Amino acid sequence: MSALSVEALGAAADAVEAHLPTLVEDKVASRLFAQDATLWGPDAESESAIRLAWTSLHRTSRPLVGEVSALREQLRERGVHRIALCGMGGSSLAPEVICATAGVELVVVDSSDPDMVRSCVEDDLAGTAVVVSSKSGSTVETDSQRRIFIKAFQDAGIDPTERIVIVTDPGSAMDKQSRADGYRVINADPDVGGRYSALTAFGLVPSGLAGVDIGALLDEAEVVADLLAEDDAANPGLRLGAALGGTSPLRDKLLLTDRGTPIVGFADWAEQLIAESTGKEGTGLLPVVVGSDGASEQVATAPDASVIALTADDDEAGPAEAVPSQVNVAGTLGAQLLLWEVATAVAGRLLGINPFDQPDVESAKNAARDLMANPSETAEPALGTDDAVEIRTTGTALSLSGSADSLEASVDTLLATLDPERGYLAVMVYLDRLAHADLAAVRGALEARTGRPVTFGWGPRFLHSTGQFHKGGPAVGAYLQVTGTPVEDVEVPGQEFTLGTFIAAQAAGDAQVLADAGRPVLRLHLTDQEAGLTQLREVLGRQ
């Protein structure tokens, strides 16, 4: 397998031809690897100045290899054979793809759904060690998961300081308190943003403890680092960045499809990197994870779409069908992690935005905090009920007049709001993503039904990913939110809220921010999860 290969076709190739000479002339690649914070304009300079250390992680993260290996042996001696990871966004998505590609088990607890968290905690606790990852140390989901695991260990007669490893920025509140409490703490590079942190301690510690050869991963990145830093027309990072962000008019729907890549789940990691980095100021790029089946022909050939084919190698990169814009990308995992970070930064420059902030992620968090203080406001009265599904809306952008008592009719009403030229549908499900993974299959059926791109996200996971694009990107989306009454709620030790209360506030807060931005939101609440899911599969899976 070649270390790295990028081939642009059609409109994507035109974008490369149009922008590559200027990118080379402006020395964007070498300036990026020299950590030049001026690349994205004066408004982005202060943030960029503290977010570019990812360009040298293939060297600076080397000390972690030995440290993590030694810690892994210590945990093995204590009977540990299962690693769980508490973290959100960049703290969980990179380790997930790294471990899945290596064929190594990692239990990713990136949820506030009480049923999912409870099952992850209760399963084989005696053989489990936990990595708690949070850059700031203040992420509520991660702190709640940490508290629940601590209590579970204590109740089982296990010293949590021997089973929990903390990964955080130096000097964070969690860093100081965890050290004082006797926990093992590994600091990450503070000058790397969360979604660019795959090769920092956030990506490497849980992966290495789970059994991945993280030294080899760094080797794969180092092999291509000099190539990605060259001001040369052959630079794959510049070429991919131009293909993603330089089409004219902008093809802002990126259909990420698996064409035989050996990397497992890479599109989910890329989705967060691209959407959270670019979806702001009314523009951006929306990654649409379509899997190995690909997008429908109508969507793949749409004038606002590019097919991004993740392939096994450059010899097998031909398109499965004729599409007007396509990019074929192949390479080892470590090489591609660095490639896509470079390409996203380059695309941000072409889009004229700051690729290192996430203003609308913060707005949703603030809304959730406000609702936590007033939990009675997290659920508007149902406009109607169809068996096990309560039907609600938020704001005034969606009117369910005459359709509020029918799940099928209310969904039809939402879909009718889609712009047939530029619109997309976001399905946002706040349930146990492990137990109900098959629900994601409705994505393809809804795409075929609407003829438009459809994203499927598990809440609150997607809030750290496409959630930024939903609110900061162009106002062309329609939003279908699914929540459910948990089978059994979970108390959060030391807090006045339960996980059920918290996830309800997250869903309601996100819906409120979307509605305040004029986006149409349909909210479906399952009063009985089993019965409600049966209804959803039938209605949403209909083509």
Side-chain angles (χ1 to χ4, degrees):
M1 184 177 184
S2 56
L4 216 49
S5 172
V6 174
E7 178 189 20
L9 305 169
D14 294 341
V16 174
E17 183 179 358
H19 294 284
L20 190 59
T22 301
L23 292 171
V24 172
E25 183 180 352
D26 291 347
K27 300 185 181 301
V28 170
S30 61
R31 289 167 61 194
L32 177 61
F33 278 78
Q35 300 182 25
D36 182 347
T38 67
L39 281 168
W40 302 274
D43 291 343
E45 192 169 339
S46 61
E47 182 77 16
S48 303
I50 56 171
R51 291 291 178 260
L52 292 174
W54 54 267
T55 57
S56 60
L57 290 172
H58 52 282
R59 296 191 306 272
T60 59
S61 286
R62 291 287 174 178
L64 286 171
V65 176
E67 182 178 3
V68 171
S69 178
L71 179 56
R72 184 180 179 218
E73 289 306 310
Q74 292 175 16
L75 292 172
R76 277 182 170 178
E77 292 171 0
R78 296 171 185 164
V80 170
H81 55 262
R82 175 179 181 262
I83 301 296
L85 170 61
C86 299
M88 300 300 299
S91 297
S92 62
L93 289 164
E96 185 174 64
V97 67
I98 292 168
C99 289
T101 299
V104 170
E105 181 187 12
L106 178 69
V107 180
V108 179
V109 194
D110 59 346
S111 180
S112 44
D113 177 80
D115 297 318
M116 177 175 160
V117 173
R118 186 181 62 257
S119 65
C120 289
V121 172
E122 291 178 350
D123 184 20
D124 194 15
L125 186 68
T128 298
V130 180
V131 179
V132 178
S133 292
S134 174
K135 183 174 176 63
S136 66
S138 62
T139 305
V140 180
E141 298 101 321
T142 306
D143 179 66
S144 300
Q145 297 153 5
R146 178 188 66 86
R147 291 169 181 265
I148 292 166
F149 264 110
I150 288 175
K151 185 177 187 302
F153 282 129
Q154 291 172 336
D155 290 348
I158 299 171
D159 183 353
T161 65
E162 294 187 354
R163 293 297 187 92
I164 294 178
V165 178
I166 305 296
V167 180
T168 189
D169 277 2
S172 73
M174 188 164 75
D175 180 29
K176 296 174 183 177
Q177 189 61 55
S178 297
R179 292 182 187 277
D181 291 342
Y183 289 93
R184 177 68 174 266
V185 178
I186 300 178
N187 288 138
D189 191 323
D191 290 335
V192 179
R195 56 190 176 273
Y196 292 81
S197 65
L199 298 179
T200 70
F202 289 113
L204 300 181
V205 171
S207 302
L209 293 180
V212 175
D213 184 347
I214 57 176
L217 189 72
L218 292 173
D219 290 343
E220 291 172 357
E222 187 165 15
V223 164
V224 300
D226 288 344
L227 172 63
L228 293 170
E230 287 182 2
D231 297 310
D232 186 272
N235 185 323
L238 296 180
R239 299 182 72 85
L240 180 57
L244 297 179
T247 49
S248 181
L250 181 64
R251 291 175 173 267
D252 61 356
K253 315 301 190 306
L254 306 179
L255 311 177
L256 297 169
T257 183
D258 182 338
R259 296 274 174 79
T261 175
I263 303 175
V264 181
F266 188 82
D268 292 323
W269 174 81
E271 176 186 52
Q272 189 235 358
L273 173 68
I274 297 166
E276 198 174 42
S277 296
T278 68
K280 59 200 73 170
E281 299 180 30
T283 187
L285 302 169
L286 177 66
V288 183
V289 179
V290 300
S292 57
D293 292 338
S296 67
E297 181 178 358
Q298 183 175 356
V299 170
T301 58
D304 61 340
S306 284
V307 172
I308 313 298
L310 304 171
T311 68
D313 57 50
D314 51 337
D315 293 329
E316 300 176 10
E321 66 282 316
V323 295
S325 183
Q326 180 164 323
V327 187
N328 300 310
V329 185
T332 60
L333 176 55
Q336 288 214 51
L337 291 170
L338 187 55
L339 165 70
W340 284 85
E341 288 167 348
V342 169
T344 301
V346 171
R349 177 178 169 91
L350 295 178
L351 292 169
I353 51 91
N354 175 5
F356 304 110
D357 66 352
Q358 52 282 331
D360 296 292
V361 171
E362 299 305 319
S363 67
K365 288 182 180 179
N366 292 336
R369 291 189 191 103
D370 291 343
L371 289 168
M372 289 285 286
N374 300 282
S376 62
E377 298 178 11
T378 58
E380 311 93 332
L383 299 176
T385 301
D386 186 339
D387 293 335
V389 182
E390 292 180 348
I391 299 166
R392 304 182 175 113
T393 62
T394 296
T396 60
L398 180 68
S399 173
L400 294 182
S401 177
S403 61
D405 292 324
S406 165
L407 173 58
E408 184 170 8
S410 63
V411 170
D412 285 343
T413 300
L414 177 69
L415 299 185
T417 68
L418 276 176
D419 182 333
E421 301 297 326
R422 298 190 60 216
Y424 68 93
L425 173 67
V427 182
M428 311 170 295
V429 182
Y430 290 80
L431 298 174
D432 182 342
R433 69 176 178 86
L434 301 179
H436 307 306
D438 66 305
L439 186 62
V442 304
R443 192 212 67 80
L446 287 166
E447 181 186 272
R449 181 171 167 183
T450 61
R452 295 301 303 156
V454 177
T455 66
F456 186 100
W458 294 101
R461 174 182 172 119
F462 80 87
L463 293 176
H464 301 261
S465 178
T466 51
Q468 169 62 44
F469 184 95
H470 293 168
K471 297 172 282 286
V476 294
Y479 304 89
L480 176 61
Q481 182 186 93
V482 179
T483 59
T485 301
V487 175
E488 182 183 343
D489 207 346
V490 174
E491 299 283 340
V492 180
Q495 300 287 25
E496 296 181 355
F497 59 84
T498 66
L499 286 183
T501 301
F502 179 40
I503 197 169
Q506 290 182 294
D510 190 51
Q512 187 60 60
V513 175
L514 286 168
D516 289 346
R519 272 62 161 172
V521 184
L522 174 62
R523 304 187 64 194
L524 305 176
H525 181 75
L526 313 184
T527 55
D528 178 296
Q529 288 200 27
E530 183 177 354
L533 284 167
T534 298
Q535 290 179 256
L536 278 183
R537 291 185 182 99
E538 180 181 350
V539 170
L540 301 184
R542 186 174 301 146
Q543 296 187 21

